[in-house]
Amino acid sequence: MAAPAPHGVPSSSPEARSIPPGLAEPLRNDLEAVADEVVQAILEHVPEYAGPSTRKLRAVAVEALTLFVDLIADPQSQGDAVSARYHDLGRAMAKGDRSLEALQSALRVGGMQAWRRLSSTAEGLGLGSAVVSALGELALHTAHEVAEAAARGYAEERLRSSDQLERQRRRLIGLLLGDGPVSPEAVHDLAHAARWPVPRQVAVVALASSPDIREETWPLTTSDILVDMESRPPRMLVPDPHNQSHFAGRAFALAIRDRPAAIGPTVPLAQAARSLLWATRALGLMGRGILPRQEVVRCVDHLSTLLLHSDEPLLGELRSHVLAPLDTVSEGQRSRHAETLLAWLLSGSNVPDVAARLHLHPQSVRYRLRRLRQLFGDALDDPNTRLDLILALRAESLRQPDSSGR
């Protein structure tokens, strides 16, 4: 079904050749009445076709019956035109998001009803059982060819629509996450073509590239999440991020596949590129061990760390300037003194709290603080310097996440 093939009913059918051509005329006389019965049977068993499409359904039934009768009148007749009509019907069903199962059910129900009526007409004319049997075989053969043509058309349109939808969604995510200004009109027009409901807020997920995963195999149309696995890093645009079902859905799980990912902050749709910027930075910090190397990191849980590392050269200047007194001690002492000073500043200069936090005896903490007083002097009492020290020491601790010497 997925591989389109030339459509058409064979020009010659063994079943048709064994049926008297004269049978075509009485069958043709009943064709309109049979079509009405076929439509009624379909509407009873496949209610999806009730409504405005009923008239079109009857026209399709007449065409199928005409194909059948023409094959009886002339076994060499070509059925290409009607077969092409069913091929187009299958495409129309796909375009309208109608079910292929419903179409196949309608063809099956309609074919059975037509066969009952036509076989009854043949029996009423006194034809032998061999002719009636051949008539049944031809009916099955014709129904099969018609169903195959419709299925091919349906599959072709689904494949074409899927490719087109992926192209539109790739253009949409490129527009939303590009460097240029985002026009609301352009977004709405492209979103309509991509069948993507425009949300008020979004978050962008940056994914670690994986050589073990073929990025291009991931479909873009599995959900409302826009996905671009060909960018570096791969990225996903998640609508309405407060709806946690997006992060628990199949599309999200397939893209993550146990690899590191960073979820950017929630922003208005027009600022999606800003969410991507912070998600990408967070992903880089995860790779350096500054942020946890767990499966998924949310930027909102690490805003201070992201702020500290938003300007690495400036952060380096701050650390070099504010922590210069620690350059006079050994590396081991530097780590212990930096840890103690940060705990002391964060605890409001409370020695017992520092001792509890660092699992040290209070006397050890006091000893270290006396040494820190010698190194930093009265700067430890200046509010502005204390803030700079907290920022620099926090960056120092993140730069050496595994240091534990005490």
Side-chain angles (χ1 to χ4, degrees), residues 186-267:
V187 170
H188 279 78
D189 289 346
L190 198 50
H192 177 74
R195 301 182 188 177
W196 189 68
V198 179
R200 295 182 60 188
Q201 295 183 312
V202 296
V204 178
V205 183
L207 307 171
S209 299
S210 174
D212 299 327
I213 298 177
R214 294 182 59 194
E215 311 288 12
E216 69 276 7
T217 62
W218 296 116
L220 307 185
T221 57
T222 53
S223 74
D224 290 342
I225 297 176
L226 297 181
V227 184
D228 183 1
M229 290 298 183
E230 296 180 356
S231 64
R232 289 296 176 265
R235 56 203 186 181
M236 307 169 65
L237 192 146
V238 180
D240 300 318
H242 297 299
N243 181 357
Q244 293 301 309
S245 64
H246 285 307
F247 297 106
R250 182 172 178 270
F252 187 79
L254 280 175
I256 295 294
R257 290 286 293 271
D258 300 323
R259 56 179 162 186
I263 302 176
T266 297
V267 296

Side-chain angles (χ1 to χ4, degrees), residues 265-277:
T266 297
V267 296
L269 179 62
Q271 300 177 24
R274 184 163 62 89
S275 183
L276 171 64
L277 172 65

Side-chain angles (χ1 to χ4, degrees), residues 96-177:
D97 287 328
R98 305 287 286 271
S99 161
L100 176 61
E101 289 74 15
L103 174 60
Q104 299 286 32
S105 295
L107 293 174
R108 183 171 59 254
V109 169
M112 288 297 297
Q113 181 62 34
W115 161 239
R116 292 191 191 99
R117 177 63 183 269
L118 295 175
S119 63
S120 176
T121 298
E123 290 174 353
L125 294 173
L127 299 176
S129 59
V131 172
V132 174
S133 176
L135 191 66
E137 290 180 11
L138 178 61
L140 290 175
H141 175 81
T142 305
H144 173 76
E145 291 294 332
V146 164
E148 284 293 303
R152 283 194 297 270
Y154 192 95
E156 282 182 29
E157 182 58 33
R158 279 295 193 197
L159 185 61
R160 189 193 69 81
S161 298
S162 178
D163 290 344
Q164 185 177 33
L165 202 58
E166 287 201 15
R167 287 194 297 272
Q168 297 287 14
R169 291 197 164 196
R170 187 173 284 110
R171 287 180 59 199
L172 178 59
I173 193 173
L175 172 66
L176 292 171
L177 300 182

